[in-house]
């Protein structure tokens, strides 16, 4: 899913040539800040092509603030089972039950703010269920703060400038993300700029603005 050939030079960690294999099924917690769509896109970009249904759980406030998923407006290929939960407690229950079902490709959950039901125990239950049954879990924390959590990967995600369009320089290119991994059990904290390669179903490292080959002149 991920193919990263070079780390962001601003990262404080030692360079690592690849993140391949670092994204085994687990609970990823995603904080999209004021741009919820970037968090959703980041989660979907990791799935790539899938032949099993996706379970998408939203609690009431998340639906009211961000709307429901509209599969016809995306290039995402698999069927979506949508659950509209009345509150965060019910949304977490639906997510955990979904993670026990190996017939699903993944489970996405959207929660708004800081619900009391979302504590360390709840997130740890999701993490254990994901790893035990091999179903990836993405918990979108819209308007939330990174408090205590049992998630294995925790990200801050935002939009980034798209690379030039292949055929039309006046049109936006593929979706790009500013991604900061600030907690992980398997990786050191670091940040990247990634863009989604839809043809290859993967996230690639995007060059920084103004990046150029060594020795290339500023005027060139």
């Amino acid at each position: 899913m991920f193919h990263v050939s070079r780390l962001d030079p601003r990262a404080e960690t030692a360079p690592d040539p690849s993140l391949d294999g670092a994204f085994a099924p687990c609970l990823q917690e995603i904080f999209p800040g004021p741009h919820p769509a970037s968090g959703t896109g980041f989660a979907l970009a990791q799935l790539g092509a899938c032949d099993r249904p996706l379970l998408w759980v939203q609690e009431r406030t998340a639906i009211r603030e961000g709307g429901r998923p509209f599969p016809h407006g995306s290039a995402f290929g698999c069927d979506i089972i949508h659950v509209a939960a009345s509150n965060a407690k019910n949304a977490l229950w639906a997510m955990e039950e979904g993670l026990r079902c190996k017939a699903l490709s993944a489970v996405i959950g959207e929660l708004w703010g800081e619900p009391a039901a979302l504590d360390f125990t709840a997130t740890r239950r999701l993490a254990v269920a994901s790893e035990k049954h091999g179903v990836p879990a993405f918990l979108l924390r819209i308007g939330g703060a990174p408090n205590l959590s049992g998630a294995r990967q925790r990200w801050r995600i935002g939009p980034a400038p798209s690379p030039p369009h292949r055929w039309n320089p006046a049109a936006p290119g593929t979706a790009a993300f500013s991604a900061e991994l600030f907690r992980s059990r398997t990786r050191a904290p670091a940040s990247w700029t990634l863009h989604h390669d839809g043809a290859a179903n993967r996230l690639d490292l995007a060059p920084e603005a103004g990046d150029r080959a060594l020795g290339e002149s500023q005027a060139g």
Side-chain angles (χ1 to χ4, degrees), residues 8-33:
D8 187 331
R10 296 170 299 180
E12 296 179 354
T13 55
D16 187 329
S18 175
L19 279 174
D20 289 344
F23 295 91
C26 68
L27 172 62
Q28 295 188 45
E29 204 170 16
I30 299 172
F31 296 85

Side-chain angles (χ1 to χ4, degrees), residues 60-122:
R60 181 172 51 191
T61 309
I63 295 175
R64 187 175 63 234
E65 296 292 337
R68 298 169 184 258
F70 185 67
H72 299 295
S74 72
F76 193 62
C78 71
D79 295 332
I80 294 178
I81 302 171
H82 182 254
V83 173
S86 58
N87 53 50
K89 181 179 180 181
N90 290 340
L92 291 167
W93 178 84
M95 287 186 67
E96 185 175 344
E97 290 299 309
L99 291 171
R100 300 177 191 275
C101 180
K102 296 182 179 179
L104 296 175
S105 61
V107 174
I108 292 179
E110 289 187 35
L111 298 182
W112 185 273
E114 300 290 337
L118 185 64
D119 56 13
F120 178 81
T121 300

Side-chain angles (χ1 to χ4, degrees), residues 6 81 148 154 160 164:
R6 179 171 60 83
I81 302 171
L148 192 63
R154 307 187 83 188

Side-chain angles (χ1 to χ4, degrees), residues 5 26 28-29 38 58 62 70 85 88 102 111 120 130-131 140 179 187 201 215 218:
S5 57
C26 68
Q28 295 188 45
E29 204 170 16
S38 61
Q58 292 180 297
F70 185 67
K102 296 182 179 179
L111 298 182
F120 178 81
S130 173
E131 293 163 5
L140 302 179
R187 311 295 300 184
N201 284 321
Q218 295 294 321

Side-chain angles (χ1 to χ4, degrees), residues 31-220:
F31 296 85
H35 306 286
S38 61
T40 304
F42 180 73
L44 292 177
Q46 292 189 50
L47 296 180
C50 56
D51 56 1
R52 293 173 292 167
L54 166 68
L55 177 64
W56 199 315
V57 182
Q58 292 180 297
E59 55 96 4
R60 181 172 51 191
T61 309
I63 295 175
R64 187 175 63 234
E65 296 292 337
R68 298 169 184 258
F70 185 67
H72 299 295
S74 72
F76 193 62
C78 71
D79 295 332
I80 294 178
I81 302 171
H82 182 254
V83 173
S86 58
N87 53 50
K89 181 179 180 181
N90 290 340
L92 291 167
W93 178 84
M95 287 186 67
E96 185 175 344
E97 290 299 309
L99 291 171
R100 300 177 191 275
C101 180
K102 296 182 179 179
L104 296 175
S105 61
V107 174
I108 292 179
E110 289 187 35
L111 298 182
W112 185 273
E114 300 290 337
L118 185 64
D119 56 13
F120 178 81
T121 300
T123 53
R124 187 176 185 280
R125 289 175 65 92
L126 294 179
V128 170
S130 173
E131 293 163 5
K132 181 177 180 180
H133 300 283
V135 180
F138 304 92
L139 182 57
L140 302 179
R141 298 289 312 281
I142 305 169
N147 45 18
L148 192 63
S149 173
R152 309 309 193 202
Q153 310 264 4
R154 307 187 83 188
W155 297 87
R156 293 188 182 92
I157 300 296
S162 296
H165 194 280
R166 183 178 181 184
W167 306 113
N168 183 1
T174 56
F177 307 95
S178 171
E180 177 192 3
L181 179 64
F182 65 93
R183 180 184 180 277
S184 171
R185 287 194 170 189
T186 57
R187 311 295 300 184
S191 60
W192 301 266
T193 300
L194 306 169
H195 71 84
H196 182 225
D197 184 339
N201 284 321
R202 69 185 190 190
L203 286 168
D204 288 338
L205 184 70
E208 293 294 309
D211 196 7
R212 63 188 65 212
L214 184 65
E216 186 176 350
S217 69
Q218 295 294 321

